[in-house]
Amino acid sequence: MKVRYRALHPFDKEAEERHIQEDHGLHPYDEYLKPGRIPHIWCPGCGLGIVVTAFIEAMKQKNVPVAQSAVVSGIGCTGRVAGYLDMDTYHTTHGRAIPFATGLALVRQDLIVTVFSGDGDLFAIGGNHLIHAARRNVNLKVICVNNFNYGMTGGQVAPTTPIDARTSTTPFGNAEPSFNLPHLAHAAGAVYVARWTTYHARQLVHSISQAFDKKGFTFVEVVAPCPTGFGRPNKLGSGLDEMRHYREVCEVRNGADPSEVEIRLREKIIVGTFVDVERPDFMEHYQSLVVARAQAKAKSKGKGKAA
Amino acid sequence: MRFWRLPLDAEHHSIPRGEVHIIDNRCKGCGFCVEFCPNGCLRESKRFNVKGYHPPEMVYGAEEDCGDCGLCSLICPEFAIYTQLKEAKKITEDDIQKVTTRYSRKDRRYAKKR
C-alpha cells in the first residue's frame, strides 16, 4: 500500500495553495468552511464537529445568507469554530464573546449574530455577560457546547462539571454542585431555551433553525462527548461509547420545567425545547422608550427656538 | 411479515436511492457513521488512511440500501462523508419484500456482533 501525504516542498507557496485547493470542496459543507483549515484539531470522538455541521445544515435549511451572518466565539476548544467557518467570524478574548456580539448586534441589526462558545467560556468567566445579555434580551443566538470540563487546558473542573465527577483537578470527585444551564438562561430571561445532545443531530438542526426565526436572546445547550478531558477520568469510554450512553439515558421532554433538568453523572439527561416565549427585545424597548422620547424632546426644543 | 399488495398511494411515493461518498483522508475513525447508519450500510474497513485510522466502507451487498437520509453526513464530526441522491425509484411489489429482508439482515448483523 502506498501512503503519500503532502508532496510539499518547503517554501513552495504554489504547491501549498494547490494542495489546499485540491483538498477543499470535496464535501458539500465545504462552501461554509475556510479552505485549508480542515482537518480540524478536535480529538477523534469529539462532538464539536457535529455541532458545526448542525449549524451549517440549519443555515442551509433556513437559507441564511453567509453575507448576513456573523459568528462570534470565545476561547477554548469550541472557540476555534470561528476559525473554521467561512463567514464574518470573530475570535474574542476569554469570556468576552457576548459583549462583542452585543455591540455587533446593536450596531448592525441586519446581521444574524451567533455566539458559538463552550461552557467554560460562557458560564465561568463570561457568566456575568451572559445573564445580562439575557436580561436585556439582545438579539443573539447563543449555542453553548457543554462538555463538562475545560477541555483545551487539560480537563480541569468547570462550573458545569457534575457533582462527584472526576477531572484532572478533582481526582477524588468534584465536591461542588454544577450549574443547570437551561434554568439559568431561563431565569435570566432568554426567550428560547433548548438542550440537545450530539446524538440528537436532527433535533439540534431543527432547534437551531427555530432559533434563527426567533427575535431576542435564544439559548441552545448541546451536550457533547469529551473523551479526552472528561470521558477518560470518569471511565466513560471513547466518544462512541458516550454517544451510545446518550442514546440509552436521554429522555425527550419538550416543555419541561427548566429547574428539573439538572445533569448528574451517569444519570438520565432530559433533553428538548424547554422554553419558547415572546418578549420584546432590547432594540424595541430602546426605540419606544429612549429614542422616541429623545426625538420628541428635540422636536419641541426646535419648535421653541423657531417660535 | 409480508405485504399482500401494494399500498394504494404507492404512485405518489418513491424510494430514494443514495450514493455514499467517503473522503478517506479526513476520517479520524470515531465510528459514529458505522454505529448510527439506520440501514446498517457502513462498516469499518481494514485499510488505513494517511493518518493511520480505518475509514468506513460500504457493507458488501448494501450498495442499494442507502436511502439518502444524510444522517452520516450530519453526524460525522470531520466532514468526511456525505450522501447524494442517485435515483428516486418507483415502488414495485419486489421493493416491498426487499424492505422487510433488509431489516432482517440488519438484525442478524447486530446479533452476530453481540
Side-chain angles (χ1 to χ4, degrees), chain A residues 1 3-5 23 26-30 33 38-40 42 44-46 49-50 52-53 56-57 199 201-202 205 239-240 243-244 247, chain B residues 23 25-26 28-32 35-36 47-51 53 69-71 73-83 110 113-114:
Chain A
M1 194 182 65
V3 174
R4 252 179 89 245
Y5 194 50
D23 207 43
L26 295 173
H27 196 280
Y29 292 149
D30 275 4
L33 299 169
I38 302 293
H40 50 63
W42 297 320
C46 177
I50 303 173
V52 178
T53 317
I56 293 173
E57 181 65 30
Y199 170 67
R202 291 251 183 250
V205 171
L240 183 56
M243 293 279 273
R244 283 182 188 137
R247 180 167 61 185
Chain B
I23 308 163
N25 287 345
R26 286 189 185 183
K28 284 182 192 164
C30 62
F32 290 175
E35 174 79 17
F36 297 116
R47 63 176 193 279
F48 292 95
N49 64 5
V50 289
K51 293 176 195 153
Y53 296 108
C69 71
L71 187 73
S73 68
L74 200 57
I75 216 156
C76 177
E78 311 291 333
F79 308 96
I81 186 168
Y82 65 98
T83 58
Y110 271 69
K113 222 174 167 182
R114 279 163 192 175

Side-chain angles (χ1 to χ4, degrees), chain A residues 27-34 38 49-64 66 71 81 84-87 116 143 205 208-209 212, chain B residues 73-74 79:
Chain A
H27 196 280
Y29 292 149
D30 275 4
E31 57 180 307
Y32 291 88
L33 299 169
K34 284 200 178 94
I38 302 293
I50 303 173
V51 189
V52 178
T53 317
F55 177 68
I56 293 173
E57 181 65 30
M59 276 185 72
K60 271 192 164 180
Q61 282 185 9
K62 281 283 156 194
N63 285 327
V64 178
V66 171
V71 173
V81 170
Y84 296 127
L85 288 172
D86 192 12
M87 51 190 75
F116 217 121
I143 299 171
V205 171
I208 295 174
S209 52
F212 280 140
Chain B
S73 68
L74 200 57
F79 308 96

Side-chain angles (χ1 to χ4, degrees), chain A residues 8 95 97 117 144 149 182 205 245 264 274 284 292 298:
Chain A
L8 278 191
S117 210
C144 172
N149 72 110
V205 171
H245 175 69
R264 287 175 192 281
F274 302 135
E284 258 175 68

Side-chain angles (χ1 to χ4, degrees), chain A residues 99-246:
Chain A
F100 182 88
T102 304
L104 188 61
L106 296 188
V107 173
R108 290 287 306 273
Q109 289 172 46
D110 54 325
L111 290 184
I112 294 172
V113 184
T114 310
V115 176
F116 217 121
S117 210
D119 56 314
D121 188 72
L122 283 178
F123 282 91
I125 188 165
N128 188 23
H129 301 306
L130 186 125
I131 57 173
H132 287 288
R135 173 178 65 85
R136 293 178 187 123
N137 205 11
V138 187
N139 195 6
L140 292 179
K141 325 274 167 250
V142 179
I143 299 171
C144 172
V145 183
N146 184 3
N147 57 6
F148 307 112
N149 72 110
Y150 292 112
M152 184 168 266
T153 47
Q156 287 87 356
V157 66
T160 47
T161 310
I163 196 161
D164 202 24
R166 288 167 189 227
T167 61
S168 61
T169 46
T170 55
F172 300 109
N174 180 22
E176 302 162 3
S178 65
F179 266 144
N180 181 358
L181 304 187
H183 188 38
L184 183 62
H186 170 56
V191 293
Y192 182 90
V193 179
R195 173 199 276 157
W196 297 104
T197 71
T198 46
Y199 170 67
H200 302 87
R202 291 251 183 250
Q203 291 92 325
L204 179 60
V205 171
H206 182 67
S207 220
I208 295 174
S209 52
Q210 269 187 331
F212 280 140
D213 284 344
K214 292 286 283 189
K215 203 156 174 62
F217 191 90
T218 68
F219 179 77
V220 179
E221 182 197 356
V222 190
V223 177
C226 180
T228 326
F230 190 71
R232 192 159 44 182
N234 290 296
K235 308 259 188 308
L236 296 177
S238 64
L240 183 56
D241 290 330
E242 282 189 55
M243 293 279 273
R244 283 182 188 137
H245 175 69
Y246 295 151

Side-chain angles (χ1 to χ4, degrees), chain A residues 12-32:
Chain A
D12 191 347
K13 271 267 159 113
E14 271 184 23
E16 195 181 345
E17 270 170 26
R18 205 182 321 125
H19 173 74
I20 288 172
Q21 291 305 323
E22 274 172 13
D23 207 43
H24 188 71
L26 295 173
H27 196 280
Y29 292 149
D30 275 4
E31 57 180 307
Y32 291 88

